[in-house]
């Protein structure tokens, strides 16, 4: 009688055609996948009291995977962020706020599995390790990109071929454990804090046309819980929940057998502006990735 592990291996090694899109790409068995690039980010916000915030900067994401077989891959990843915001409070002097550093170091798994030879099941798991404590300095207006929290993210989705299209959807949820931070202000100097909350749910629908350019379009909804910062049981900072709607488009040029070039752009807007006392809260992204297979 075969063991459960043997049955799983046989299932995951079965040679069925898998339907993949830009969101669900995985390397073949015994193949390395390296994907990296950069994107420019612009944020534009205005508030009910006429205060404004404009920010711009860049992200540098990188992931590396190894295909255990044609269905399962393991790897790691990170994202480096640098963002400068021009803050103009109503009736007060303006100032610049800087957020910089690595957001997290991620241990990753992703896989594609055939379902009844008609659609493909995609699964993804991420264990995120903070590279440093969350740092907030309201005197110098400098903040870490890291939230100081260990995170666990699970993603599941389906992709199906429909004529010349590949249509699919993804659901993901990130759960954050309590983390550590430091907080500096007029009242506190490098105060040790505890960081909690910030759990994130994402729902995404997408479609892709299979041709020389592989155009891909998606619409997604994100809801993020408020992040709380406490010291000695006292709340130092209490953030706000955010609900976000975004659209994204990309192309995937297959430059060579082992190289894809993926330019993309995205637009996001906050839906619950009234909770933030804002009348406008939008973000724009434009960037490109290179995907190497070897």
């Amino acid at each position: 009688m075969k063991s459960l592990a043997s049955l799983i291996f046989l299932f995951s090694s079965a040679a069925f055609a898998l339907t993949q899109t830009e969101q669900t790409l995985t390397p073949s068995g015994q193949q390395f996948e390296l994907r990296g690039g950069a994107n420019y980010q612009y944020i534009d916000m205005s508030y009910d009291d006429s205060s404004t915030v404009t920010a711009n900067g860049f992200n540098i994401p990188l992931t590396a995977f190894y295909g255990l077989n044609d269905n399962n891959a393991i790897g790691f990843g990170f994202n480096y962020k640098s963002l400068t915001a021009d803050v103009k409070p109503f009736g007060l002097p303006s100032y610049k706020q800087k957020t910089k550093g690595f957001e997290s170091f991620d241990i990753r798994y992703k896989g594609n599995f055939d379902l009844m030879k008609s659609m493909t099941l995609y699964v993804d798991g991420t264990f995120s390790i903070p590279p440093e404590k969350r740092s907030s300095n309201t005197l110098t207006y400098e903040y870490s990109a890291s939230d100081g929290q260990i995170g666990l993210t699970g993603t599941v989705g389906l992709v199906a071929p429909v004529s010349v299209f590949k249509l699919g959807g993804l659901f993901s949820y990130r759960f954050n454990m309590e983390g550590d931070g430091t907080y500096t202000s007029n009242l506190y100097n490098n105060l040790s804090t505890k960081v909690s909350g910030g759990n994130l749910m994402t729902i995404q629908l997408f479609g892709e046309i299979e041709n020389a350019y592989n155009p891909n379009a998606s619409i997604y909804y994100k809801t993020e819980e408020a992040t709380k910062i406490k010291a000695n049981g006292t709340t130092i900072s209490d953030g706000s929940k955010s609900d976000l709607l975004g659209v994204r488009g990309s192309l995937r040029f297959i430059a060579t057998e082992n190289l894809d070039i993926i330019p993309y752009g995205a637009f996001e807007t906050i839906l619950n502006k009234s909770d933030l006392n804002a009348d406008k809260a939008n973000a724009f992204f434009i960037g490109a990735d290179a995907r190497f297979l070897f």
Side-chain angles (χ1 to χ4, degrees), residues 54-106:
T54 56
N56 67 87
F58 61 88
N59 296 278
I60 301 176
L62 184 141
T63 58
F65 282 92
Y66 175 72
L68 299 174
N69 50 43
D70 288 344
N71 300 87
N72 301 282
I74 56 173
F76 67 90
F78 64 77
N79 183 64
Y80 181 86
K81 169 180 283 191
S82 179
L83 188 68
T84 300
D86 188 8
V87 184
K88 297 180 179 179
F90 177 74
L92 296 172
S94 62
Y95 60 90
K96 291 189 180 298
Q97 177 178 302
K98 295 183 178 181
T99 302
K100 184 170 63 174
F102 289 98
E103 289 187 316
S104 65
F105 295 123
D106 303 326

Side-chain angles (χ1 to χ4, degrees), residues 163-286:
S163 184
V164 297
F165 301 97
K166 301 175 183 178
L167 304 178
L170 295 172
F171 172 85
S172 71
Y173 189 83
R174 169 171 168 143
F175 172 75
N176 291 326
M177 301 181 186
E178 186 177 72
D180 296 313
T182 61
Y183 184 83
T184 298
S185 68
N186 288 323
L187 300 176
Y188 307 102
N189 181 25
N190 208 33
L191 179 69
S192 294
T193 60
K194 291 294 182 182
V195 184
S196 62
N199 298 332
L200 175 67
M201 182 187 74
T202 304
I203 299 172
Q204 181 180 18
L205 299 175
F206 56 85
E208 183 173 298
I209 301 175
E210 186 173 6
N211 59 27
Y213 306 105
N214 297 291
N216 182 294
S218 64
I219 183 170
Y220 53 91
Y221 168 77
K222 294 182 179 181
T223 180
E224 185 175 7
E225 296 178 3
T227 298
K228 295 185 178 182
I229 301 176
K230 293 184 176 182
N232 301 320
T234 301
T235 299
I236 302 297
S237 178
D238 195 356
S240 299
K241 175 190 173 187
S242 66
D243 296 324
L244 178 153
L245 183 68
V247 292
R248 183 181 185 275
S250 70
L251 300 172
R252 181 164 58 93
F253 302 97
I254 302 176
T256 70
E257 183 180 357
N258 299 313
L259 173 62
D260 297 349
I261 304 298
I262 307 172
Y264 58 88
F267 168 78
E268 298 178 347
T269 187
I270 296 293
L271 299 177
N272 60 326
K273 299 178 183 66
S274 59
D275 295 340
L276 306 175
N277 297 317
D279 53 38
K280 180 173 64 174
N282 301 323
F284 305 85
F285 301 83
I286 186 168

Side-chain angles (χ1 to χ4, degrees), residues 13-24:
S13 300
F16 295 131
L18 299 172
T19 302
Q20 300 184 42
T21 67
E22 197 242 314
Q23 290 85 353
T24 66

Side-chain angles (χ1 to χ4, degrees), residues 33-62:
E33 175 194 69
L34 180 65
R35 177 168 175 169
N39 66 69
Y40 172 79
Q41 177 180 3
Y42 178 78
I43 297 172
D44 185 18
M45 297 184 67
S46 60
Y47 294 88
D48 296 341
D49 64 357
S50 299
S51 299
T52 62
V53 177
T54 56
N56 67 87
F58 61 88
N59 296 278
I60 301 176
L62 184 141

